[in-house]
Structure formats: C-alpha cells, structure tokens
Amino acid sequence: MMTELSVTASSIRITDVTQDGDILTFAITSQKLNSSGGVCVFRTYEDFDWLQQNLFSQENVPGLQGVIFPPLPPKVPSPLNTASKSLKQLGFLALGHDWQSYCKALEFYLQQVATHPILSQCKALDSFLTKSESPGKQRGRKGILNRLSQAVEGMRKESHKDVDDFFQKQRHKNTNLAALSKVATEKILDVVLTEQKLALACGHFSTCLHLCVNQDDEAAVAFSKICLKLSDIVEAVKRNFEKVANNNIATLGLGLDLEARYEEAEKEMLFRRTCKLIELETVKKNTEKTKANKRDVMEEIQKATEKEFSLISSVAKQEIERFHSSRVTVLRSFLVGWCEKQLDTAKECAKLYSQYLDTCKNLFSE
Amino acid sequence: MAASSERSPPPFPDSEEPELLEDSDSDDGAGVFTGTSISEMDSPSPVDTSRTPKDIFNEPPEDIFSDPLSDTNSEPQKSVDTKISSPVSDEDIDLFSDPLDDETKIISPTESKNPVPDLLNESLSNSEPPKSDVIVEPSDISKPGHKNDVGDRRKDIFEDLPIDGNKGVSIKKAASSELFEDDDEDDEDLFKEPFKAVSKKPSGPPVDVFTEVKSEGKGKAQGKNASTDLFAEEAVTAPGAKSSAGAGSKTNGVHSEEQDLFTEATVELSLDSPRNDRKMKDVVKPPVSTPAAPGMSASGSKAASKTLEELEEEESEDKFDLNISITNPEKVGDGMNAYMAYKVSTQTTLPMFRRKTFTVRRRFSDFLGLYEKLSEKHSQNGYIIPPPPEKSILGMTKVKVGKEDPSSAEFVERRRAALERYLQRVVNHPSLLQDPDVREFLEKEELPRAVGTQALSGAGFLKMINKATDAVSKMTIKMDEQDVWFDEKIQDVENEEQQLRKLHLMVESLVSHRKELSGNTAVFAKSVAMLGSSEDNTALSRALSQLAEVEDRIEQLHQDQASNDFFTFSELMADYIRLLGAVRGCFDQRMKSWQRWQDGLNMLQKKREVEAKLLWANKPDKLQQAKDEITEWESKVTQYERDFEKISATVQKEVIRFDKEKSRDFKRQIIKYMESLLLSQQQMIKYWEAFLPEAKAIA
C-alpha cells in the first residue's frame, strides 16, 4: 500500500478541460520524479471522487482519522449549462471562463494531496496521476453516506465537551472561522457578481450609444462623435470592471473559497476525533459497569480505543499545526497576488483613462 | 465636414497668414505690412476680408438703417473714391487701406470715414485704450442703451482671455459680435427687409460672387464687392460664435472666416425665404458645419483652442457675465404646508441689473411660475423655453414629513442641482435673459405667489407634453411639410428623444448597479473585518483588518462614482428629454402658425369667390364691402405668412442653437466624467499601494 509518489507534487497541473455532454474531462499533467518525462492523464470528476474515497478508506494508516483531508470541490451539477444552479452549489468555482476556477481548485486539491506527508503515500494517488486507464469506480458511494450520517449525528455530538483544552479551543475557533470565511466568500462573490453586472450594463450602455449615431447634418455628426467617444469610454469602464472581477475571482475569491472549504475539512476532522472521544468515553463507562469476569476483555478494548484516540489526537495536533501554517502562507500568496493584480489593473486603467481624458479635451476643443 | 472643406475658397499659402497677423499687431507694422501687400497682391485680400466682418460689426446698424439697400449698388463707386483720399492722411492707414475699402463701402460714404479707420488702426496696433472708443461708436449708433454694457464686456474679455498678439483680432471680433447679439433681436426685422431685396440681387451662387471679389484686387472692388459686404453684414445677425470661432483659429483663421461670412449670410437668406426648399437644404448645411470647420484647423494649437472655447462661452453670455448658483435649500414651515426655499445668488456685470451681486430666496413653485410666464410670452414666438424639473409629490412629502433620511437629502440636492441647471439655461438664452420677468425673478425681493402651478406637477406636466406631442403628430398628417429641413428635424428630434430615453434607462441601471456594488463592498468589508478579528495569526489578522479598511474606502469610491454617474449623465439625459419636449413644443407652435396662415388663405379664397359672385350678380352695393373684406384678408394673410416665416426662422435658429448647446453640454459632462473616473482610479491605486506591503508582511 505504501509507495512513494512517482511525480513531483508541485508540477501537477490541470492543463485542459473538455466538455462532452454533461461530463467534464480534465487533462492532468505532471513531471516524473526521476526523469525529465512528463505524464498526462485524463480524469473525470468520478475519478477524483474515487481518489478521495480511497484516501478516506486507507487501511494500515494509524491515526488516519486525525488527518485533515484536502477538500475536494463539489461535483458540478448536471446539466452543465444551468449557470444559476451551479453558481448556487459551487459559488466561486462556477465562475470564470471555461471552468477555469474549477480546474484551479481541482489542481490545488491534487497538489495538496500530493504534498501531504501521509496522504501522498497512498497508492491510489500515484495510479490516479500516472496510469493512463481510468481507475475503478466500484467503491464510489460509501463516502457520501458517511458524510450524511455525520451530519445527522453532528448536531448531537458537536457540542460535546472535550477532555483536551487545546482541542476544545480549536473546535471553538474552527466553528467560528468556518462560518466567517464562508460568509466572506459569499460576500465577495456578491461583489464579483455585481461587478459583472456592471460590466454588462456598461456594455449595453456603450452599444446603445452607438445607436445614437446620426449622419443627417453636421450638428448631428458632431453629436454622434461625442456619443461614440463616450461609448469608447464606457467600453473602457466595462473592461475595467471585467478585469477587476476576474482578478477577484482568480485570487482572493479562490483563496477565500479554499479557506472556507479547508476550515470545513478541519471541522470534519475534529468531528471525527470527537466521535472517537465519545466512543472512548462510552467504552470506559461500559467497562466500569461490566462484571469482573468480562472486565479483562473490556479493559482490553478500552486500552485499544484509548491508544487509537491518543494516536488520532497526536496526528490531529500535527495536522492542525501544519494546516495553520500552510493556510497563512496560502492566504498570503492569494492576498499578495490579488493586491498586485488589482494594482496593475488600476494603474493600467488610470493610464487609459487619462489618455481618454486627453483625447477628449483635444477632440472637444476642436 | 467634407462639405465645409469643399466650400472653402482656394487656400492661400498658410505660412503667410500668421506673419501677417503678427505684423498687424506690432506697433509700427505699417511698413512691413504694406510691403507684403505690395509684393503679393493675394495676401492682403484674405486679411482684408477677414477684417471686414469686424468692421461691419461695428458699423452696420447705422448703415442698414439709414441706407435703402437698393442704393448699395451705386454707393460703392463713391466709396472707392473717398477711400483713396483717406489712406493718404495717415501713414498707418496704408496698412488698413484694404479693410477700409470694404468698410467704407458699408458705411454710408457720406460720413465718418476717417475717424473710424483711425480708431481701428489704433485698436489693432496698441492693444488697449482705443478699443473702447471703437465700440462705443457703434453702440452709439446702434443702440445707446447698450453702451456701457458693451464697454464692460469688452474689458472683461480682455482681462480674461490669455492673449498673445495674434489673437487680438479674434477677440475684438468676438466682442463686437457679441455686441451685436444683444441687438440682433431688436434689429432683426430691420435686417430682414433689406435682405430680401439683396438676396435677389446676386443671382449666381454665393461662392461665385465671393471668388470674384477675391480675384479683384484692391481698389477694383465694385458692385459685386458691395454685395459681399451685405453678406457680411448679414453674418452679424447670425450667432456670433461662428464668426468668432473662425477668427480664433490661428492657423487657418482667415480662410474659415471668409467661409463663415458666407455660410452665415446664407443662413439668413434662407431663413427669410424658408420655402425655397431645394436650394435651402443645401444652403443650410454650411452654417452647421462652421463650428466644426474652424475647430479642425485649430486643433494644432492648444492655446488657440482655449481661446476658442472661451469665445464660445461668451457667445452664450454665461459664466462670464452672469453667474447663477442655487444654494442653501431650507425647509420653511411645518407639516404639509412646509416648502423648500432656495437661495438664488446672481453674480453679474451686466448693466441691466442694478447690482453686481444679489441673492433672493425662491421656492419651487416660483420656478414653475417663471416657466409659465416665459412660455406664455415666448413660446408662440418659437423660442425653446427650458422646462423646469418636475414636481415630485413623493419626494416632497418625504421632505415635508421631515425625516432626516439620506433619500430625502438626496432628493433635495437633486432638485437643487436641477433648478440651478434650469435657471442657467434660461439666462443662457439671449432673448429670455432680456425678459423682465427673468430679471424680476433674479432681483426682486418678494415675488407674488405663483398660483396654478399645480397643473405642472409631476404626471400632469408629462401629460401636457404628451398631449402637445400628440397634437403635433396629428397635425403633421395635415401639414404637408414643404420644408425639408423641418421635415427631417422633426423626425430627428423624435428619434433622439427615444434614444435618450433608452440611454437614460441604461444609465439608471448603471447607477443602481454601482450602488449595489458599493453596498456589497461594504458588507464584504464588514465580514473581512470580522474574519480578521477572530484570526489567530497576528500578521494575517492585521492584514485582514487593513483589507477591511481598504474595502471600506473603495465602497466610498463606488458610492461617489454612483452619484457622479447620476449627476453627470442620468440628470443630463433627463434634462434633455425634457428639453426635447420643449423643442417639439416649438415645432408645434410653428405648425399652429402655419395652420393660421392656411386658414387665412382659405378665407381669402372664399371672400374672392363671394366677390366674383357679387360681380356676376351685379350687386354693386355689396361689392364694395366684399372688396374691403378682401383687402382686409389680404393684409391678414400677408401678416400670417410673415408670422409663419418669422416663427420658422426663429425655430430654426433656436434648434441650431439648441443642438450646439447640447453638444457642448455633453462634451462638458464627458470631460467632467472622465476626470472623476480618473480621480477615483488614482485613489484606488493609492489604496492598493498602501495595502500591498501589509499583505506582504504576513509571515
């Protein structure tokens, strides 16, 4: 089961996406670890899901339940072209031309899995990245059922008091951050959508100005010129909005979305640990209740559970630390990238505007 | 534009003109100037023609008033003689002998040939003192009441315009043209009569006349030349800016000037005989082109164009002599009887007002009352009366109820700005400014309470306009439009209105989206701030709260931009939708006048039939009465026809003026808009630049 990944994690890219009916196929390229050769495989969302399930259900990995699994983006709802529906379910990932953001999110997911110290050992990952044939689909549904049952139990168990102060705090903070980052993502999504609407409105306005052109007499021609100029300007404003919106999508939007999903993944991990804790406590109680003849067996079970729990807890601690430091770096890079892009756009636009202003002044003083 | 360039006379070598202008400016340019004029027979003539209008501007009223125009043909001969004597008297006059030629021809040769040339000479060579003299003289002649006014204005012009020497000419021209604008309403009729006579005389196309004039040299100017002058005089009645604009352009000024003279002259002609449709259609185009034509030539030099702009400004007499601002909206009274009072402040140098600055308090219904008075008096003359903003019951009720919410503050500000624009449009109209009611509105402390403005409120006002337009469309069917210009213009105005409505909707949606964006940005900023506050990593937390601040500022930017969008475009469009309604009202008035004329014709026809019957029935006793009636109706019909022609001319002039104003308004707004866009973009850059190090500081 344990194998070294044969490709470099940082070289994993989703280079292309093709749409065939309702199925999106992603082209995934990566660089071989020990040679200069590259690998290119084609995967559908089902394959991604298969990989995720494989990661969930790995055997012989101690403390697997303490791992924060990189979040796999939700499935694109079919049919593919209902924008409003996919926007509702995917949020940011539905935006961007040609599923760009979605690809970016999948790519990020693969990279995260491949850099993870425990998960990157999984055989399924290597075969997912290198085998040209599609991996099996037989074990697809299980994970989803897991999650559903979790949700039902969640309400009851989430508020369970922790024995460890660290985890108690973490759980509290995580709930907080998960909610807040989700809200922030939604809000910036609203901003982006409004920017897109504005771009559209600008487009309409500029087209409409074109209709005002009238060549009947000189006064009309002069006025038409003004209209055309204004149309150009509005067009520039439109392009600015589009760029700003795209910048928002590609950087901060994706970053916040990822952050929100990661917080969610951390929450799940913490929840799994809490479940284990509850299990341990029930076992302890049972042990106390049981009669002497069965006590040994129960103590055995209790010990095993305790061991498992402490293992999970230690893995979880590492994972949380790892997650926290990596999320700061990731957020930083998104924020810096975002700021730089917006700055560039703003500068570019200001330059364009001042050019327009000059031409306007010259044109109109004629 | 193409049309105008076709029309321009064969170009003179460009290089010479600036030189000439400069020469004329230097103190003793006489020698140099005469030198060139001798060496090149061609070069003085453009200069001379370009000067002509100016000279004419100063003199013509007298000329036209006193001289029966039929005489003009014979006069020039005399004037040529006299002119020859005048140059000799002064060395400087050589320089101007050419302009004088023309001038003397215009001026009735019997008087004041020498003094005028002298003054002109001086005015060109030493820049300041004599000018006022020059002007005083013509204003003396034309209308004593305007003397001071004109003098003042001219001074203003000189103070305000950045002039290096060569522009002196153009400025003078502007001033004098302006001078005439004032008069032209009064003089119009006087001008008109002679024009008719003249317009018949040059039977060939005007351009021919002109080229002939040009080809004839200095002293040879004969009868033809005289007619050129007449044309030039006519130019006086046309909007002064055209000629002044032409003069303002440095590079090509002389050419366009000549052309301007002609084109404008032709407008006047066509205005007088609006039913020459075929010819007129052709003739009308050039004047419209003129504002653009000189601009093309001037595009090279910024300074020149600046002057040009300012000259244009003067033409409409706004900002310059009369500055109106509306400030301090204030709620007066309580409850449902409350109303908003606005402070109307006027700054002016116009002598028609008693003081230079004054303020009055007016309420909204006073503005409506002013509109009613003006439209009662002037709309039948074919003037475009700028409509006031509509009454808004909803908005006002909110204000009355007295809630201090942002929407009512916005409403008040919006109305204040709309009223200000309305009033500025009124006073920008040269003839409306002369109206005593306007003056009273601006000056008088207490106005009688305007009543019956309710009819103008909100929907009622719109309904009224719609009714009027309905009536127009019905009448259009009856009136077979003989005038191509009007036919097309009416169509254009309707199309334009529809397009503007569409644009208005677009801008509205743009504004609402911007507001939405600003709202969303604010919410986002808040959520980022919360995210930041519950963040463990201090650097990240700091960066996030900084980001929240940045987003807050950006929200403010969006909000400002939304109101910018609104005030620069949305309100502009709304204004022009209303104004186009007023334009249609003008067409309506013209149509009514036509109707009356036609009715008169029909009546006359009937009367003639009655006469014929009586004649046939041999009833001499009633015959006399019938004949009397016929003469009565004949005179009536003539009157109606004249009325119709007059209103047609006015409407046409008004619409041309309106188009120009519109272009200028839009230009101004676009530049304003661009400036605001640029500003907010620069602001944005600053914000990002400030944030970038914060983002990078995240460890």
Side-chain angles (χ1 to χ4, degrees), chain A residues 156-172:
Chain A
R156 193 161 49 85
K157 290 184 182 171
E158 215 148 62
S159 53
H160 188 86
K161 193 159 173 10
D162 211 301
V163 288
D164 192 333
D165 222 25
F166 171 80
F167 282 104
Q168 183 68 43
K169 251 189 210 159
Q170 277 308 318
R171 274 164 60 188
H172 178 69

Side-chain angles (χ1 to χ4, degrees), chain A residues 173 177 180-181 183-184 187-188 190-191 194-195 197-198 201-202 204-205 208-209 211-212 214 216-219 223 226 230 233 237 240-241 252 256 327-328 331-332 335-336 338-340 342-343 346-347 349-350 353-354 356-357 360-362 364-366, chain B residues 1 3 285 288-289 295-296 299 302 305 308-309 489 492 499 502-503 506-507 509-510 513-514 516-517 520-521 523-524 527 530-531 534-537 540 547 551 569 659 662-663 666-667 670-671 674-675 677-678 681 685 688-689 691-692 695-696 698-699:
Chain A
K173 236 171 232 159
L177 274 181
L180 284 175
S181 56
V183 170
K187 293 311 164 199
I188 196 169
D190 284 347
V191 170
T194 320
E195 277 164 354
K197 265 194 250 170
L198 257 172
C202 283
H204 286 317
F205 186 31
C208 203
L209 277 168
L211 298 179
C212 294
N214 179 349
D216 273 4
D217 55 45
E218 299 285 342
F223 187 66
I226 294 168
L230 183 59
I233 291 166
V237 175
N240 182 34
F241 274 124
L252 189 64
L256 281 175
R327 91 178 242 283
V328 169
L331 275 180
R332 177 185 184 273
L335 273 176
V336 170
W338 178 59
C339 190
E340 277 168 351
Q342 296 291 47
L343 188 58
K347 274 182 179 164
C349 188
Y353 284 169
S354 73
Y356 270 121
L357 184 59
C360 277
K361 278 181 177 162
N362 284 338
F364 295 155
S365 57
E366 271 171 22
Chain B
M1 219 123 318
K285 278 193 174 178
V288 187
S289 77
M296 292 273 283
S299 63
K302 221 174 182 180
S305 61
L308 190 126
E309 225 166 69
K489 208 71 202 174
D492 282 354
Q499 282 160 352
K502 238 191 258 165
L503 285 181
M506 300 281 164
V507 177
S509 84
L510 204 68
H513 283 320
R514 273 230 202 248
E516 193 186 325
L517 180 60
N520 283 340
T521 313
V523 175
F524 175 61
S527 75
M530 279 172 57
L531 194 63
S534 55
E535 175 60 53
D536 269 351
N537 186 308
L540 186 59
L547 174 61
E551 288 292 330
F569 284 131
D659 278 344
K662 183 181 69 182
S663 291
F666 272 75
K667 281 174 199 170
I670 289 175
I671 288 178
M674 277 319 289
E675 276 164 356
L677 270 185
L678 189 59
Q681 207 61 35
I685 292 175
W688 290 129
E689 273 171 351
F691 179 64
L692 191 57
K696 282 184 174 161
I698 301 170

Side-chain angles (χ1 to χ4, degrees), chain B residues 479-543:
Chain B
M479 177 175 182
D480 61 310
E481 184 61 76
Q482 309 209 356
D483 191 318
V484 185
W485 189 88
F486 277 103
D487 200 25
E488 285 186 357
K489 208 71 202 174
I490 289 168
Q491 203 56 44
D492 282 354
V493 165
E494 261 167 46
N495 289 341
E496 209 174 328
E497 203 177 329
Q498 276 179 358
Q499 282 160 352
L500 271 181
R501 276 180 202 284
K502 238 191 258 165
L503 285 181
H504 188 236
L505 280 181
M506 300 281 164
V507 177
E508 295 270 89
S509 84
L510 204 68
V511 170
S512 73
H513 283 320
R514 273 230 202 248
K515 281 185 181 159
E516 193 186 325
L517 180 60
S518 134
N520 283 340
T521 313
V523 175
F524 175 61
K526 221 174 263 170
S527 75
V528 167
M530 279 172 57
L531 194 63
S533 68
S534 55
E535 175 60 53
D536 269 351
N537 186 308
T538 38
L540 186 59
S541 164
R542 204 178 119 85

Side-chain angles (χ1 to χ4, degrees), chain B residues 335-353:
Chain B
M336 286 320 278
N337 288 325
Y339 62 89
M340 296 298 293
Y342 304 86
K343 203 166 120 187
V344 181
S345 323
T346 316
Q347 261 190 313
T348 182
T349 52
L350 291 181
M352 59 183 264
F353 295 101

Side-chain angles (χ1 to χ4, degrees), chain B residues 395 398-399 403-413:
Chain B
K398 261 189 184 169
V399 173
K403 270 192 195 152
E404 290 289 325
D405 68 335
S407 78
S408 80
E410 197 185 294
F411 167 78
V412 169
E413 166 57 18

Side-chain angles (χ1 to χ4, degrees), chain B residues 187-244:
Chain B
D187 299 347
E188 206 170 52
D189 290 7
L190 289 161
F191 278 124
K192 262 174 196 165
E193 294 307 319
F195 292 162
K196 261 190 185 164
V198 178
S199 66
K200 276 162 205 161
K201 265 176 197 167
S203 54
V207 181
D208 286 358
V209 179
F210 192 71
T211 40
E212 260 178 87
V213 172
K214 242 194 310 149
S215 61
E216 285 174 67
K218 255 191 186 178
K220 275 196 256 168
Q222 298 293 335
K224 294 282 189 186
N225 225 344
S227 66
T228 333
D229 296 340
L230 285 166
F231 273 102
E233 283 168 56
E234 287 154 18
V236 171
T237 58
K242 283 169 193 162
S243 55
S244 63

Side-chain angles (χ1 to χ4, degrees), chain A residues 119-274:
Chain A
L119 300 179
S120 63
Q121 312 287 317
C122 183
K123 207 178 154 198
L125 178 65
D126 195 50
S127 69
F128 178 88
L129 287 173
T130 53
K131 296 267 162 52
S132 59
E133 70 270 19
S134 204
K137 292 171 189 176
Q138 59 276 27
R139 288 194 285 170
R141 301 292 114 185
K142 201 177 146 202
I144 290 173
L145 285 173
N146 274 350
R147 257 186 235 175
L148 275 175
S149 57
Q150 273 176 8
V152 178
E153 276 177 87
M155 304 296 277
R156 193 161 49 85
K157 290 184 182 171
E158 215 148 62
S159 53
H160 188 86
K161 193 159 173 10
D162 211 301
V163 288
D164 192 333
D165 222 25
F166 171 80
F167 282 104
Q168 183 68 43
K169 251 189 210 159
Q170 277 308 318
R171 274 164 60 188
H172 178 69
K173 236 171 232 159
N174 170 260
T175 332
N176 228 342
L177 274 181
L180 284 175
S181 56
K182 204 169 174 208
V183 170
T185 314
E186 276 164 14
K187 293 311 164 199
I188 196 169
L189 182 64
D190 284 347
V191 170
V192 167
L193 290 179
T194 320
E195 277 164 354
Q196 286 179 336
K197 265 194 250 170
L198 257 172
L200 206 66
C202 283
H204 286 317
F205 186 31
S206 124
T207 328
C208 203
L209 277 168
H210 269 280
L211 298 179
C212 294
V213 173
N214 179 349
Q215 306 283 358
D216 273 4
D217 55 45
E218 299 285 342
V221 168
F223 187 66
S224 302
K225 260 191 178 175
I226 294 168
C227 284
L228 287 180
K229 196 79 217 163
L230 183 59
S231 165
D232 286 350
I233 291 166
V234 174
E235 188 69 28
V237 175
K238 176 197 166 191
R239 278 198 302 274
N240 182 34
F241 274 124
E242 279 171 350
K243 271 186 198 157
V244 168
N246 282 336
N247 291 344
N248 280 339
I249 293 170
T251 53
L252 189 64
L254 266 186
L256 281 175
D257 183 69
L258 184 74
E259 158 78 5
R261 283 185 293 121
Y262 246 109
E263 291 290 346
E264 216 37 64
E266 190 193 7
K267 198 179 184 175
E268 267 172 35
M269 184 277 285
L270 287 170
F271 178 72
R272 283 193 301 270
R273 191 190 146 274
T274 315

